[in-house]
Amino acid sequence: TCCRVGADGWEVAEEGTAVREKFREGFSLRFPAGHEVSRGVHEHLWRVQELFGGHAVGSNIYVTPKGAQGFPRHIDPLNAFITQFQGEKTWVITHHSTLPLEGRSVDPLPQCHYPQEIKRIEGGGWRLFEEGVVTLRKGDRMYLPRGYAHHCTGGGDDSVHLTVDVSCGGTYAGLIACAEGGRGGVPFCDDFFSHEVVRKTLPIGWLWMIGGCYRSRDLLDVLVAMASSLGLSLTPDDFADAADTMSASFFATSIPSPHKHSFHRLTPTHIHAPPPSPSPMASP
């Protein structure tokens, strides 16, 4: 993607455009699937995938001319881990009360605020923030949770940053909808997705907790109770079957291992034992 935000709004260059020329004109460049061109990014992304268990991951590399803004303020339906590799970028971040879901827009965007710049955590490289303005310089990293409106602008030199994205495809809404659909239920209307509780992300490692031969009674009880509160009569077996259906999609698109003589892609048989059980409501 080759784009910029200018006086006339957001502009996206046509496919086949000479990107070098557009870059000189102030267009930012986004290179998706950074793990396919960098072994280091591939290794890092695979480890993140292993850590989050059941949540799809991806990566993008952004190259921005000095002083330029590539994308307008927006909210992504995912959690992002950002690393600044070159130059600097200033981010304006504002929290939104509604967690976004894939394929569903969030409107209106929250108001911008410009409080004092957020300070770095002492003794660590990650930045902790609530909302505001933060400048990332070479080597800085930031966690941007789902539900934060943001945009960023390059500094006095050209800049490069990497985002590692953890998808929110594994939400309570998705699992409940899959369980209801698996038993022949009708698709949910918008009212269902308006419930904030179902928009939350499933626990880290949820695929190791339900489905197949692993069934965490704690998580299944939470799911059954949540469905009941929404007027749905779903059983633990319904959720286990739904988890198997969702896991098939996850395994088919997972990042293959970068290590030679190891599994090229995660499969259900790769999972020999579940990891330590997190809290049933813990989310990435």
Side-chain angles (χ1 to χ4, degrees), residues 128-139:
L128 177 65
F129 64 86
E130 292 181 355
E131 59 181 15
V133 180
V134 60
T135 298
L136 297 185
R137 299 178 177 85
K138 182 177 179 179

Side-chain angles (χ1 to χ4, degrees), residues 97-120:
S97 59
T98 300
L99 290 173
L101 292 173
E102 291 180 356
R104 292 178 176 269
S105 63
V106 173
D107 188 62
L109 289 178
Q111 295 294 316
C112 275
H113 299 286
Y114 296 86
Q116 183 177 4
E117 182 174 340
I118 300 134
K119 300 180 187 275
R120 180 199 304 267

Side-chain angles (χ1 to χ4, degrees), residues 63-85:
V63 183
T64 304
K66 61 181 181 179
Q69 177 184 339
F71 292 83
R73 195 162 63 102
H74 63 283
I75 296 179
D76 293 314
L78 44 79
N79 301 279
F81 296 87
I82 299 157
T83 302
Q84 189 70 30
F85 283 126

Side-chain angles (χ1 to χ4, degrees), residues 226-247:
M226 184 182 295
S228 178
S229 71
L230 299 169
L232 302 171
S233 299
L234 294 172
T235 68
D237 286 343
D238 292 330
F239 282 112
D241 290 343
D244 287 340
T245 298
M246 292 176 67
S247 68

Side-chain angles (χ1 to χ4, degrees), residues 26 45 47 54-55 80 119 125 129 133 141 165 170 180-181 205 230 232 243 268:
L45 204 62
R47 291 185 179 278
H55 295 281
K119 300 180 187 275
F129 64 86
V133 180
R141 295 170 290 170
D165 307 322
E180 180 71 5
L230 299 169
L232 302 171

